[in-house]
Amino acid sequence: MTLLRIVLGLVVILAIGTAAFIGYAWHSRLDPIDPPAKASLDAKLLARGAELAAIGNCNVCHTAPNGEAFAGGLGIPTPFGTIYSTNITPDPETGIGRWSEEAFSRAMRKGVDREGRHLYPAFPYDHFTLVSDEDNRALYAFLMTRKSVSAKSPANQLPFPFNVRMLLAGWKALFFREGPYLPEPGRPAEWNRGRYLAEGLGHCGACHTPRNRLGAEISDQHFAGAEIENWTAYAIDSGSPAPLPWDAESLAFYLRHGWHDRHGVSRGPMAPVTANLGAASEADVKAIAAYVAEVMGRPSKERLAQGEAALAAARQEREAAPLRRTGETGNGAGEAIFVSACQGCHDGRRPPPFGGLNLHLSTAVNAPNAQNIINVTLYGLPAARGEPSAMMPAYRGVLNENQLVALLDYMRERFSRQPAWTDTRERVSSTLRGERKVPVYRMDGTTHAPPETSMRTAPWP
Amino acid sequence: MAVTLTVNGRTQQVEADPETPLLYVLRDHLELNGAKYGCGIGQCGSCTVMVDGEAVLSCVTPVLLLEGRRVTTVEGLGTLEKPGPMQQAFIEEQAAQCGYCIPGMMMRAQALLQADPSANEAAIRAHLEPNLCRCGTHMRIIKAVMRAGEIMRQNPQSGGAS
């Protein structure tokens, strides 16, 4: 009798819990609308929306390789399965043409689609929730005036239980804090603007903050660096591996132009980010740079001295005769490859973006692993289409595993004060075998306007 | 110093500094003048040859990397009397104006078709992107590569380069 009571009690508690969860997880369906007439939207609002969409990097995930801009269909690999980006053009059937502004704002703020279904956080609403109503209005106007494209995205490939969207309510309860952004009083307006953009629409942390096993950003490792798409997103906090410390000015230049003569060029998944930021408002990019520079913190005297030493070493090499083999590192094979294949461009006589960076100044050589140099060496930096850009030839067909490992060890020893990498051979070997799939990005937009189509030359696996 | 190189099926010793770019060794030492010097920094593709079946820019490839590897140049695709499928297709389509970029185009295309003789036009365009042509012969070049693919598919034995 007692047992029965306990069981009954548990059932009741479970039922109440389930009902409460459903109540928490349930969102209403918002009524469909007829797509708004383009002429009904204010031109100034549209222009603002274009700048904001550039900061949001919307086109990068919502455009498939060789696909139409914003028409979705890009497969995004996650540890849980592949999620396909959606069509956010105003097509009424396959896009968001039937979404009201309210539905759009709700998706940004709460991560729920017009039908009331929870969205996967591959759509970074954990950041977008901070976006203000005013900016959402501008983004909505911008997207609703894009070319309407009829394109249905493939169905997500997620095994049970990840295909149950209701469970995302649980994820949200654990990790999601709803916005909008509240300015921190006592801070300068530019800092608040920069933080609002970097943490919100810009979603820098989506790549630069490591994630936990459930795919949520680890809040106490904010901007500590992570690996994404088999590219390393460097730490952009006090642990930044850049030999020459960044400041607000150099960051702003880099973010707007995609290169900096003392830091190198943006490449991999960062290439489209800087290409987009070239179309954002200058004041907004400056604010982002000011905020990120503040997160990086003022460099210590020691770091500043290291930066000066790196600059001096680069200057000396630029002015000296080309390196010959000296054998001083004890890695004769690596040195011979560097001297004969790399230094012709990387001696720094011609600075980035059209010449190679002197590697004393290279963040990649100082990074915690060799992956970014492996990627760039094997796949190169494919030139932009129809405009001048940085570029580097690919060495995939030439360098074998031993040669590349010797070269990387030499570069690390010669150009960095950091200890030798420990996992270089495994990374080289798995990349050469194609087990580490590396999406390659063209250098479009590193000097001029951003492209309307995807810069990926290879689709995600 | 002597380096050992296997070019178009022949293994030979060459008196050259191991740091010398492959292109110079091909042209100056082996008198294989098919591969062309264009930019010298791996940006134009006119020096393209194949190494173990992969397209490689010979102007930025020091010969010290090539021990035990098989190098193929445009001369290795066939002869004047008996042109290979790629050469035959370029002749039939008259896919050259000044011709300077053509050996590089042929070698990069050969690497693609050897791996996949049924490569379609989109794949060919994407694959040939690193190779530049200043005359604007691209449409004929693409046609020629498509035709080379047809010839290779009809006669699977014909496509392999030495």
Side-chain angles (χ1 to χ4, degrees):
Chain A
M1 206 48 196
T2 322
L3 185 71
L4 187 66
R5 273 194 196 167
I6 292 171
V7 170
L8 272 175
L10 282 176
V11 167
V12 170
I13 289 168
L14 194 70
I16 292 171
T18 309
F21 179 78
I22 291 174
Y24 168 75
W26 189 82
H27 290 273
S28 62
R29 177 176 179 276
L30 296 181
D31 287 337
I33 58 158
D34 287 327
K38 288 189 181 184
S40 71
L41 295 159
D42 174 44
K44 264 200 191 132
L45 196 64
L46 280 181
R48 185 71 196 125
E51 291 178 341
L52 290 168
I55 292 173
N57 219 26
C58 318
N59 56 344
V60 173
C61 285
H62 285 284
T63 307
N66 304 317
E68 300 255 23
F70 302 109
L74 178 76
I76 298 167
T78 75
F80 316 101
T82 302
I83 294 170
Y84 288 88
S85 66
T86 51
N87 180 344
I88 54 169
T89 73
D91 181 64
E93 308 316 320
T94 62
I96 58 168
R98 300 225 175 272
W99 288 41
S100 59
E101 186 188 317
E102 185 193 355
F104 177 79
S105 287
R106 185 176 73 167
M108 295 287 281
R109 184 67 49 79
K110 294 174 189 284
V112 176
D113 74 3
R114 186 184 67 74
E115 306 274 346
R117 293 176 305 184
H118 289 282
L119 295 167
Y120 290 99
F123 171 56
Y125 52 79
D126 46 341
H127 295 275
F128 292 171
T129 187
L130 299 180
V131 177
S132 69
D133 290 341
E134 188 193 345
D135 284 352
N136 276 334
R137 187 166 308 128
L139 284 163
Y140 177 75
F142 171 74
L143 288 172
M144 282 306 191
T145 46
R146 295 311 89 202
K147 181 179 156 192
S148 185
V149 180
S150 174
K152 207 167 155 50
S153 294
N156 293 334
Q157 291 165 358
L158 292 167
F160 182 81
F162 303 119
N163 57 352
V164 181
R165 286 179 183 266
M166 194 65 111
L167 291 183
L168 289 164
W171 188 92
K172 287 177 177 175
L174 289 172
F175 304 115
F176 176 65
R177 298 294 166 266
E178 194 175 316
Y181 180 74
L182 299 174
E184 209 167 289
R187 289 282 199 165
E190 188 184 50
W191 183 90
N192 266 312
R193 180 73 191 158
R195 185 174 183 224
Y196 162 74
L197 290 170
E199 303 296 350
L201 196 55
H203 64 289
C204 312
C207 293
H208 287 278
T209 300
R211 291 175 186 271
N212 65 19
R213 281 213 234 146
L214 288 172
E217 289 170 32
I218 304 169
S219 52
D220 60 1
Q221 294 181 40
H222 181 238
F223 285 1
E227 281 200 57
I228 187 148
E229 297 186 69
N230 288 315
W231 289 87
T232 300
Y234 300 128
I236 51 171
D237 58 1
S238 60
S240 158
L244 194 65
W246 289 98
D247 56 27
E249 201 183 331
S250 55
L251 263 178
F253 185 93
Y254 168 79
L255 291 175
R256 266 185 80 70
H257 295 92
W259 58 274
H260 187 275
D261 61 354
R262 293 176 173 190
H263 288 277
V265 298
S266 126
R267 70 290 171 94
M270 191 66 192
V273 175
T274 53
N276 271 327
L277 289 178
S281 104
E282 191 169 356
D284 280 350
V285 177
K286 276 189 171 162
I288 293 171
Y291 168 70
V292 174
E294 162 112 16
V295 173
M296 287 178 169
R298 286 173 77 87
S300 64
K301 278 202 173 129
E302 195 197 353
R303 270 214 74 197
L304 284 171
Q306 280 178 15
E308 284 305 316
L311 263 181
R315 201 176 300 126
Q316 194 191 344
E317 272 179 25
R318 190 174 65 227
E319 285 156 13
L323 276 184
R324 303 296 298 176
R325 279 176 289 157
T326 62
E328 68 190 18
T329 64
N331 178 355
E335 183 184 45
I337 297 169
F338 184 83
V339 166
S340 57
C342 311
Q343 80 154 346
C345 290
H346 284 283
D347 60 7
R349 283 179 171 73
R350 196 180 187 209
F354 302 122
L357 181 71
N358 181 294
L359 297 178
H360 286 294
L361 300 173
S362 159
T363 303
V365 172
N366 280 286
N369 63 67
Q371 192 66 46
N372 284 7
I373 310 191
I374 294 171
N375 297 349
V376 170
T377 308
L378 291 179
Y379 303 104
L381 302 176
R385 287 183 176 167
E387 63 180 72
S389 74
M391 73 86 65
M392 179 180 141
Y395 280 84
R396 182 177 54 239
V398 184
L399 290 169
N400 64 27
E401 182 179 320
N402 287 339
Q403 290 165 341
L404 184 49
V405 170
L407 173 63
L408 293 164
D409 286 347
Y410 170 80
M411 285 162 67
R412 179 73 164 181
E413 190 180 344
R414 183 178 156 79
F415 297 108
S416 168
R417 295 170 171 218
Q418 303 294 323
W421 287 310
T422 52
D423 58 352
T424 305
R425 184 167 293 274
E426 184 280 317
R427 285 177 181 274
V428 167
S429 144
S430 56
T431 309
L432 279 171
R433 283 200 308 268
E435 283 162 23
R436 276 179 201 270
K437 291 203 165 57
V438 178
V440 180
Y441 291 79
R442 289 193 317 266
M443 300 303 282
D444 297 46
T446 47
T447 52
H448 288 82
E452 266 287 281
T453 55
S454 175
M455 286 161 66
R456 283 190 185 83
T457 67
W460 261 327
Chain B
M1 224 184 329
V3 286
T4 308
L5 273 183
T6 304
V7 180
N8 298 335
R10 264 185 68 200
T11 302
Q12 44 204 314
Q13 295 261 317
V14 182
E15 270 308 310
D17 187 317
E19 292 176 15
T20 314
L22 171 63
L23 177 65
Y24 298 10
V25 171
L26 292 174
R27 294 179 59 88
D28 298 345
H29 296 259
L30 303 177
E31 297 185 354
L32 294 166
N33 292 322
K36 298 288 185 277
Y37 182 97
C39 65
I41 50 175
Q43 295 197 351
C44 76
S46 69
C47 67
T48 308
V49 300
M50 287 197 311
V51 173
D52 291 338
E54 290 243 27
V56 158
L57 300 162
S58 66
C59 77
V60 291
T61 302
V63 287
L64 61 87
L65 294 172
L66 298 173
E67 205 184 310
R69 313 285 293 274
R70 288 179 304 116
V71 178
T72 310
T73 70
V74 72
E75 291 90 343
L77 295 185
T79 60
L80 213 52
E81 296 73 37
K82 209 173 161 235
M86 188 64 69
Q87 295 166 321
Q88 190 189 329
F90 270 72
I91 294 167
E92 287 170 1
E93 292 294 343
Q94 286 293 288
Q97 181 140 277
C98 87
Y100 203 80
C101 71
I102 296 301
M105 292 280 185
M106 289 165 94
M107 295 317 291
R108 189 170 295 276
Q110 180 77 21
L112 173 67
L113 295 188
Q114 266 182 219
D116 177 15
S118 56
N120 62 17
E121 187 181 327
I124 292 168
R125 280 173 180 265
H127 184 80
L128 289 181
E129 214 175 274
N131 287 47
L132 308 181
C133 165
R134 296 296 296 267
C135 303
T137 323
H138 304 85
M139 301 314 286
R140 287 198 183 210
I141 291 171
I142 291 165
K143 265 173 93 178
V145 177
M146 307 266 290
R147 183 186 280 249
E150 270 167 43
I151 300 172
M152 288 183 191
R153 288 196 298 276
Q154 283 160 10
N155 184 1
Q157 303 307 315
S158 70
S162 57

